[in-house]
Every structure is written in structure tokens, then in C-alpha cells.
Amino acid sequence: MAKNTVKLLDVVALTVDLPEYNLRRGQVGTVVELLADGAAFEVEFSDRNGRTYESVGLRREKIMVLHFQPASPDIKSEIVTA
């Protein structure tokens, strides 16, 4: 699987402002549907209580997938102190 593949239920962030939807770059949402054979995605934006405040169809170039684990779990990071 390509590392830039967007999948259903991926957590994503906007890479652009969308003032027409009152959304700004950096806001976090969840992919809830794949559209146009995977060329676009329905992204749902919810508040801290899980209530959806916006749901928008977006192309890949307007979102980035967020990762919550190291890119390579085999690589051990070292703490560097100055």
C-alpha cells in the first residue's frame, strides 16, 4: 500500500483554509467516505463532544493524513540534549 494512501476512518488535517465552510488550515477531521473512486473524500469535522459541525467533500491535495506512531517502528530514537 502506498504511504500516501488515504483510507476510510483516517484522521486528517486540512492543508488549506476553507472560509466558505468556516474551516481553517490545520483543523482535524475523519475520512467517513471515499468519493470518485478514491480521488476525493468526505471528511467529517467534529467538536470535542463528538458532534459533527461540518462535513465536506475534499480532494487529496487539501488534506494530509496524520500519523500517531513512528514512521518506522524498528528505529529507536535517541534523546538529544543541548
Side-chain angles (χ1 to χ4, degrees):
M1 184 181 302
K3 67 179 171 179
N4 290 328
T5 301
V6 179
K7 300 180 300 301
L8 192 62
L9 300 180
D10 272 350
V11 177
V12 298
L14 285 175
T15 58
V16 296
D17 290 335
L18 297 174
E20 64 273 27
Y21 297 105
N22 199 29
L23 297 170
R24 298 200 300 200
R25 182 171 56 98
Q27 281 189 270
V28 175
T30 304
V31 175
V32 295
E33 190 171 350
L34 305 178
L35 307 170
D37 293 324
F41 312 90
E42 186 74 17
V43 179
E44 190 173 275
F45 296 89
S46 303
D47 64 19
R48 292 177 187 250
N49 295 315
R51 290 184 294 246
T52 300
Y53 57 85
E54 194 61 74
S55 186
V56 184
L58 299 169
R59 293 201 171 277
R60 175 67 179 98
E61 59 270 10
K62 293 189 177 186
I63 58 175
M64 64 179 289
V65 176
L66 299 180
H67 302 278
F68 299 96
Q69 297 178 7
S72 178
D74 297 331
I75 298 174
K76 302 288 186 216
S77 61
E78 295 181 27
I79 297 176
V80 178
T81 57

